[in-house]
């Protein structure tokens, strides 16, 4: 877990023809059409490391949504980035892609999965604050998207509390990681708004580096990488949680006598 701390996640400089990456390397926007939006993580993922994105912008008129997954192909070796992650990238081999839909995303449980505790909530200090997948504990605080305060935010906040935000909605947060299962193999997990969808692909070979794949496809127009903390929450996170705990509603943060940056973090993160 110590190896994961301090790793700054961003998109690779190699990407689909219709994608533009911002100057920070953390926002990918499809600027035209509905395809050629395949992106990769800048560096291979470590075991248990989650590559998490938030849907920033949607585009009406297209059928289909975000697709995420893993690939063992080094993006730098690609003469041309495939137009689609499904089926084009998958057909190249060593790639496993999962299509995000509005409702049915959970993968069917594998044999013996529940008994082995592959995916579970910790029973100690981390019970409410962390999602546990295998031996990895990931803070829930950053995994669930939040609404922007506005006219209907009193309604939206209740939806977020019950984790009822549709996976394809704006502000939804979706990530991919892999968990070693046996020597040389791993399972791919997709996490949607703090909920593990289970092993979506099993027996993935790990003899080569695995990059995250994010296909900014169709109705999904723009996504942003979310930086994560592992293990115990940071002082910033603890301060935010205390402030949020003692207010009636998130919009009230705007009237607190706090620095502007701190108020922004408390309201949106």
């Amino acid at each position: 877990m110590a190896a994961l701390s301090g790793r700054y996640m961003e998109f690779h400089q190699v990407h689909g023809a219709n994608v533009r990456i911002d100057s920070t390397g953390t926002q990918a926007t499809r600027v035209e059409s509905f395809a050629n939006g395949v992106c990769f993580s800048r560096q291979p993922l470590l075991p248990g490391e989650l590559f998490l994105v938030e849907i920033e912008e949607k585009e009406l008129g297209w059928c289909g949504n975000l697709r995420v997954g893993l690939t063992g192909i080094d993006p730098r070796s690609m003469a041309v980035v495939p137009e689609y992650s499904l089926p084009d990238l998958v057909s190249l081999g060593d790639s496993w892609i999962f299509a995000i839909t509005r409702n049915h995303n959970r993968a069917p449980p594998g044999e013996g999965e529940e008994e082995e505790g592959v995916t579970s909530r910790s029973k100690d200090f981390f019970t409410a604050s962390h999602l546990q997948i295998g031996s990895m504990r990931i803070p829930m605080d950053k995994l669930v998207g939040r609404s922007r305060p506005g006219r209907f935010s009193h309604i939206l906040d209740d939806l977020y509390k019950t984790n009822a935000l549709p996976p394809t909605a704006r502000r939804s947060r979706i990530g991919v990681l892999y968990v070693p299962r046996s020597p040389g193999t791993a399972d791919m997990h997709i996490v949607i708004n703090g909920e593990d969808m289970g092993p979506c692909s099993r027996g993935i070979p790990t003899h080569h580096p695995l990059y995250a794949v994010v296909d900014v496809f169709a109705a999904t127009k723009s996504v942003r990488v979310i930086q994560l903390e592992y293990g115990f929450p940071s002082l910033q996170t603890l301060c935010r949680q205390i402030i949020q705990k003692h207010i009636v509603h998130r919009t009230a943060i705007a009237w607190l006598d706090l620095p502007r940056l701190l108020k922004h973090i408390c309201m949106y993160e």
Side-chain angles (χ1 to χ4, degrees):
M1 187 175 296
L4 302 182
S5 61
R7 294 242 305 177
Y8 186 76
M9 307 300 288
E10 56 187 302
F11 289 111
H12 204 286
Q13 64 269 25
V14 175
H15 51 72
N18 287 338
V19 167
R20 297 294 179 270
I21 307 296
D22 75 345
S23 59
T24 69
T26 61
Q27 185 176 42
T29 303
R30 195 186 66 255
V31 295
E32 61 179 283
S33 184
F34 63 93
N36 280 304
V38 178
C39 304
F40 308 94
S41 57
R42 184 177 65 84
Q43 51 195 350
L45 299 184
L46 298 175
E49 185 174 37
L50 182 68
F51 192 83
L52 183 70
V53 298
E54 177 177 287
I55 298 176
E56 286 273 288
E57 188 177 352
K58 303 277 293 181
E59 186 171 33
L60 300 177
W62 301 115
C63 181
N65 294 280
L66 187 71
R67 297 166 173 179
V68 297
L70 298 169
T71 183
I73 304 173
D74 188 333
R76 295 170 298 181
S77 69
M78 297 181 180
V80 177
V81 176
E83 184 175 8
Y84 305 98
S85 58
L86 283 172
D88 297 0
L89 180 61
V90 172
S91 67
L92 298 179
D94 289 332
S95 298
W96 304 267
I97 307 299
F98 188 82
I100 304 300
T101 63
R102 182 178 174 83
N103 296 308
H104 305 293
N105 288 283
R106 179 170 291 281
E111 182 179 355
E113 179 180 325
E114 294 184 356
E115 291 76 7
E116 295 180 12
V118 173
T119 301
S120 64
R121 290 293 180 88
S122 167
K123 302 302 181 183
D124 52 19
F125 166 81
F126 295 89
T127 300
S129 62
H130 285 62
L131 173 70
Q132 181 167 342
I133 303 178
S135 62
M136 301 306 301
R137 290 185 173 112
I138 308 171
M140 288 289 293
D141 185 58
K142 289 289 189 76
L143 296 182
V144 182
R146 294 178 64 88
S147 65
R148 297 286 185 180
R151 182 178 179 185
F152 299 108
S153 59
H154 63 290
I155 300 175
L156 292 175
D157 273 11
D158 287 338
L159 293 178
Y160 281 100
K161 289 176 184 176
T162 59
N163 197 26
L165 182 68
T168 58
R170 291 178 69 246
R171 308 303 170 198
S172 181
R173 294 187 175 184
I174 299 166
V176 60
L177 77 161
Y178 69 91
V179 178
R181 296 286 291 143
S182 61
T185 67
D187 291 346
M188 179 179 78
H189 287 246
I190 304 298
V191 176
I192 300 178
N193 288 319
E195 183 179 2
D196 177 27
M197 297 295 106
C200 302
S201 293
R202 298 178 172 86
I204 294 175
T206 57
H207 58 272
H208 44 51
L210 294 171
Y211 294 82
V213 178
V214 176
D215 190 352
V216 188
F217 177 69
T220 304
K221 184 174 179 63
S222 181
V223 299
R224 176 173 59 95
V225 177
I226 303 297
Q227 307 300 328
L228 291 175
E229 303 164 349
Y230 294 86
F232 289 93
S234 67
L235 180 59
Q236 173 181 285
T237 298
L238 292 174
C239 290
R240 179 173 68 249
Q241 291 174 342
I242 291 174
I243 292 172
Q244 292 172 340
K245 181 180 179 180
H246 289 86
I247 60 171
V248 176
H249 189 269
R250 186 154 40 95
T251 54
I253 294 175
W255 297 303
L256 296 178
D257 186 19
L258 296 172
R260 182 178 178 182
L261 178 59
L262 179 56
K263 288 195 289 187
H264 184 277
I265 290 173
C266 291
M267 293 173 71
Y268 298 133
E269 292 296 332

